[in-house]
Amino acid sequence: MTPIRPRRSALYLPAANARAIEKARTLAADVIILDLEDSVAPDMKDEARRMAVEAVAAGGFGPREVVIRVNGLDTPWAGSDLAAVAEAGPDGILLPKVASADDIESCAEQVAGRARLWGMIETCQAVFRLDALAGASRACGLDVWVIGANDLVKEMRCRLDEARTPLLPALSLAIMAARAHGLVVLDGVYNDITNLEGLARECAQGAALGFDGKSLIHPSHLETANRLYAPPGDEVAWARTIVAAYAAPENAGRGVIKVEGKMVERLHLAQAERLIAVADAIGAREA
C-alpha cells in the first residue's frame, strides 16, 4: 500500500502576510497553502510570490506539507508564478480553476517534475470533464484535487442551504472521478468563521461523502477538521478486528468469513487495512 499522508486540514494563508506565515509553522494543520491568488491584491502579487518562495526556502514547517496556490492560468502573473514556485520546490503547487486536460499538461511541462501539482475543481466546465481531468491528473503527476465551492456556487448562481443541496451532485461526482484515478480530494472551505457548529456539520457531511479532508480559511477551524476527518476510534477498532480475523490460520485464503457474527468479505479487509493506515499515519503525524 502506498504510504498515506494525512490531509485532514489544509489551511489557506495569504503569502503576503509575514506574521501568518510565521504562525503557520506552529499550527496543527496537515497542509499549509500559501496563497498568491484570491487573498492577494494585484499590486502585491510580486511581493507575495517572493515571500512564498522565501518561506519555502526557510523551512521550519515540520511535518506540515507546504503548498503554494498560484494565480490562474489566464492571468498575467501565472507564468512568473509557476517558474518561481517550481524552482522553490514546495510540496505542491495548487492550480486554480483547472478546466481541461490541456491546462494540466501545460503546467506539468512548465514545472518539469520540480514539484507535485494539485488542482482546483471550481467551475461548471470542470464538472462536466471530471473523468478526463482525473485521467490527465494521474498521467501528469497531479496528486490532489481541492474543491473550490465558492467559485462553483458563483457560476451556478445557486442558493446554498445548510446541507449544500445544489452542490451535492458535483461533490459526489468529483469524489468518484478522483477515486477512479487514485487521487486525493479535499472539500471546499466553510465561510462562516465563528460558526463552529456549522463547520462541524459540514466536516461530518464531507467525511461521510468520502472527502479526505477539508480546505480551511481560519486557524480556529483546524481542531474541528482534524477531529472529524480522523477515523472514529470504534471504526479503527473494528478494522483491526477484521485484519486479525483474516490473519488467523484457519481463515488463510478464504474469501468470506464470519467476524463477531457479521459477514466480512475481502473488500472489507481492504477497507480495514486502509482505515488502519490512515489512523496510524495520523498518530505518527501528531506524535
Side-chain angles (χ1 to χ4, degrees), residues 55-197:
V56 170
F61 292 91
R64 302 162 190 82
E65 284 184 276
V66 180
V67 175
I68 300 177
R69 179 167 72 170
V70 297
N71 286 284
L73 305 182
D74 59 349
T75 71
W77 307 286
S80 297
D81 284 353
L82 280 172
V85 171
E87 188 65 28
D91 294 301
I93 299 174
L94 179 56
L95 309 174
K97 296 181 176 64
V98 171
S100 71
D102 289 343
D103 289 345
I104 297 169
E105 291 164 3
S106 173
C107 290
E109 289 177 3
Q110 294 178 65
V111 170
R114 291 172 289 176
R116 306 297 291 181
L117 293 177
W118 294 25
M120 296 199 70
I121 302 300
E122 52 186 339
T123 66
C124 295
Q125 187 179 49
V127 171
F128 281 96
R129 297 175 175 175
L130 286 168
D131 187 63
L133 289 172
S137 296
R138 184 70 173 180
C140 293
L142 194 156
D143 301 307
V144 181
W145 278 359
V146 182
I147 300 298
N150 286 334
D151 281 277
L152 192 54
V153 166
K154 176 186 173 183
E155 280 205 3
M156 291 174 62
R157 303 176 192 166
C158 62
R159 296 176 181 173
L160 285 190
D161 55 15
E162 188 176 274
R164 300 192 291 180
T165 303
L167 289 184
L168 290 179
L171 298 179
S172 292
L173 286 170
I175 293 167
M176 291 179 195
R179 296 293 177 251
H181 295 272
L183 307 179
V184 170
V185 58
L186 307 182
D187 198 1
V189 302
Y190 185 76
N191 296 314
D192 191 349
I193 293 174
T194 61
N195 185 3
L196 297 184
E197 291 184 0

Side-chain angles (χ1 to χ4, degrees), residues 231-266:
D234 59 340
E235 292 185 14
V236 177
W238 175 240
R240 295 191 191 279
T241 299
I242 291 174
V243 170
Y246 268 103
E250 64 270 22
N251 292 325
R254 295 182 64 184
V256 180
I257 63 175
K258 183 186 292 186
V259 181
E260 296 183 1
K262 298 178 181 178
M263 185 194 77
V264 176
E265 302 177 64
R266 287 201 168 266

Side-chain angles (χ1 to χ4, degrees), residues 8 187 202-203 206-207 211-214 225-231 282:
R8 300 162 296 170
D187 198 1
E202 192 162 293
C203 286
F211 283 111
D212 295 287
K214 191 164 184 65
N226 286 342
R227 172 167 46 85
L228 290 172
Y229 275 99
I282 291 170

